[in-house]
Amino acid sequence: MQQIKIKQYGNAQEAFAFEEQEKPVPIDSQLLIQVEGFGLNYADVMARNGLYKDAPKIPFVPGYEVVGKVIQCGKGTPPDFIGERVVAFTRFGGYAEQAVGDFRAARIIGDRISGGEACALATQYCTAYYMTDYISNLHEGETALIHACAGGVGTALSQLCRRKGVTVIGLCGSEEKVAFLEAMGVDFIINYKKNNYKKLIENRLGKRKIDYIFNTVAGNSFKEDMKLLNYGGKIYCFGGAARSGKKDHILNDLAFLLKTGFVSPLFMMMKSHGVIGVNMLRIADNHTAVIGKCLGELHQLWLQGEIKPVVGATFQASQIGEAHQLLESGKSMGKIYVYW
């Protein structure tokens, strides 16, 4: 079988290598999947640039989720998975024609849903659902601010918030994305490259009126967000896009930390604030069944028509460099899907 490895850090057109490899052997609780396709995530870009600390050392096969048919089960895996089409969380290794994943972080999906939509459920929607439904209980009439609202997690958050009656403020970086978010029904859209989003929000809503903030950027935006957060509000931090684009160096890491700033639990207590870090890789490692639970509930929401993942671009596996370039450019919208 073929797999795609990151052989060196840096440019997307030079970083990858296609290799022939023996098929993996599923161990306890694992499924072996004949892969139709896999999804891209921004963590893949960070890993390719040597900035993702949880990634294995190069060379390694990236990829968090796959869709395909189960061809073999490891010990302790329910046999009814055999022959079924599934979407599965893979914890690296997804850029391959065959991949393994824990059955507890997989769901049988049938043939109705497209590969791109299914892969969006596995990582982007699971990340969003974990924040909006699993560890939180959002209420009608509240307000949420979503960074990178036109991206994969952003579109998922928007749909999941709006289905609960939460007003959505979406940040994006181009007029094309403004139009995209308008079509999605986002309530208040701000092109942060043209406007100071904090001032616009305060002018429209007043000070400290945001109940939930979903921040995938960190850096200076975190400090601005804390000034917008309502009493009793929560900010979810699940990415560090502001760190991207700079070389892996301790000084760049320190500068990023200083820009993001630090919070004191005493000041948080005074405003009844919550700052919640979300790392789905850690959840998958230590609470594997949580991924499966979120996946199962998201699939039901898809079947009921309550959510509709947006697949913004589809590439052949041979175009992996182009797919990565699009995601890294910040111009993509929705999920990027790659198929064999």
Side-chain angles (χ1 to χ4, degrees):
M1 66 138 192
Q2 276 198 313
Q3 59 183 13
I4 306 171
K5 282 187 173 181
I6 296 177
K7 64 176 181 178
Q8 65 184 49
Y9 296 131
N11 187 286
Q13 293 293 0
E14 300 171 353
F16 295 104
F18 285 75
E19 289 187 0
E20 287 292 333
Q21 185 73 25
E22 293 292 323
K23 74 175 185 180
V25 177
I27 58 174
D28 292 358
S29 303
Q30 285 188 336
L31 308 169
L32 176 61
I33 301 162
Q34 185 67 42
V35 177
E36 294 172 28
F38 54 88
L40 298 195
N41 300 284
Y42 204 80
D44 299 352
V45 172
M46 300 288 281
R48 195 197 76 234
N49 286 311
L51 300 175
Y52 191 48
K53 305 304 182 184
D54 286 326
K57 294 186 181 298
I58 55 173
F60 74 96
V61 181
Y64 288 112
E65 77 273 341
V66 299
V67 62
K69 287 196 173 180
V70 177
I71 57 176
Q72 188 178 343
C73 289
K75 184 180 178 182
T77 301
D80 54 357
F81 275 97
I82 288 288
E84 296 288 351
R85 185 171 184 253
V86 299
V87 60
F89 187 86
T90 52
R91 201 201 188 285
F92 304 110
Y95 289 21
E97 289 181 314
Q98 293 179 350
V100 293
D102 193 304
F103 81 91
R104 294 169 296 176
R107 278 297 177 268
I108 295 171
I109 55 172
D111 296 323
R112 286 175 52 190
I113 188 169
S114 72
E117 289 178 287
C119 281
L121 293 184
T123 302
Q124 275 86 2
Y125 274 77
C126 264
T127 301
Y129 189 85
Y130 180 78
M131 293 186 283
T132 61
D133 288 69
Y134 191 84
I135 60 172
S136 299
N137 187 18
L138 279 61
H139 300 282
E140 184 176 358
E142 294 177 320
T143 301
L145 170 65
I146 302 173
H147 287 260
C149 193
V153 181
T155 55
L157 283 167
S158 174
Q159 292 177 16
L160 292 169
C161 285
R162 296 187 76 247
R163 69 181 278 271
K164 290 193 167 189
V166 173
T167 298
V168 173
I169 302 172
L171 302 185
C172 63
S174 72
E175 292 307 304
E176 290 80 11
K177 291 183 178 182
V178 169
F180 171 75
L181 294 178
E182 286 175 346
M184 280 191 60
V186 173
D187 300 288
F188 180 24
I189 305 160
I190 300 172
N191 183 339
Y192 68 87
K193 290 185 178 179
K194 289 188 173 182
N195 303 280
N196 182 311
Y197 73 87
K198 177 177 175 289
K199 288 183 178 179
L200 281 185
I201 291 170
E202 288 181 338
N203 287 341
R204 179 159 173 166
L205 302 179
K207 293 190 175 182
R208 294 201 177 278
K209 297 297 184 182
I210 309 299
D211 301 295
Y212 307 98
I213 299 177
F214 300 95
N215 187 312
T216 186
V217 182
N220 288 328
S221 68
F222 179 80
K223 294 178 181 177
E224 295 297 283
D225 286 356
M226 289 298 288
K227 298 172 186 174
L228 290 167
L229 200 59
N230 199 352
Y231 296 96
K234 299 179 180 68
I235 180 168
Y236 301 82
C237 302
F238 60 102
R243 176 66 181 84
S244 186
K246 300 179 180 68
K247 291 183 178 180
D248 184 16
H249 193 281
I250 186 64
L251 292 179
N252 289 331
D253 291 340
L254 288 172
F256 177 59
L257 286 171
L258 290 172
K259 285 180 180 179
T260 301
F262 301 92
V263 293
S264 164
L266 295 176
F267 290 125
M268 290 166 60
M269 178 185 67
M270 294 299 291
K271 298 181 176 68
S272 195
H273 280 171
V275 178
I276 303 167
V278 175
N279 182 332
M280 296 308 286
L281 189 63
R282 290 284 178 262
I283 300 302
D285 284 346
N286 297 284
H287 305 281
T288 309
V290 170
I291 302 293
K293 178 177 174 60
C294 291
L295 260 181
E297 293 176 359
L298 285 164
H299 187 225
Q300 285 302 309
L301 290 176
W302 182 87
L303 289 171
Q304 295 160 13
E306 293 190 47
I307 57 172
K308 178 65 176 173
V310 176
V311 181
T314 300
F315 293 86
Q316 294 182 357
S318 59
Q319 300 171 298
I320 187 65
E322 289 92 331
H324 260 247
Q325 282 180 324
L326 176 61
L327 182 57
E328 189 171 20
S329 73
K331 296 179 181 178
S332 63
M333 292 177 273
K335 184 68 172 177
I336 296 178
Y337 177 64
V338 180
Y339 66 93
W340 290 101

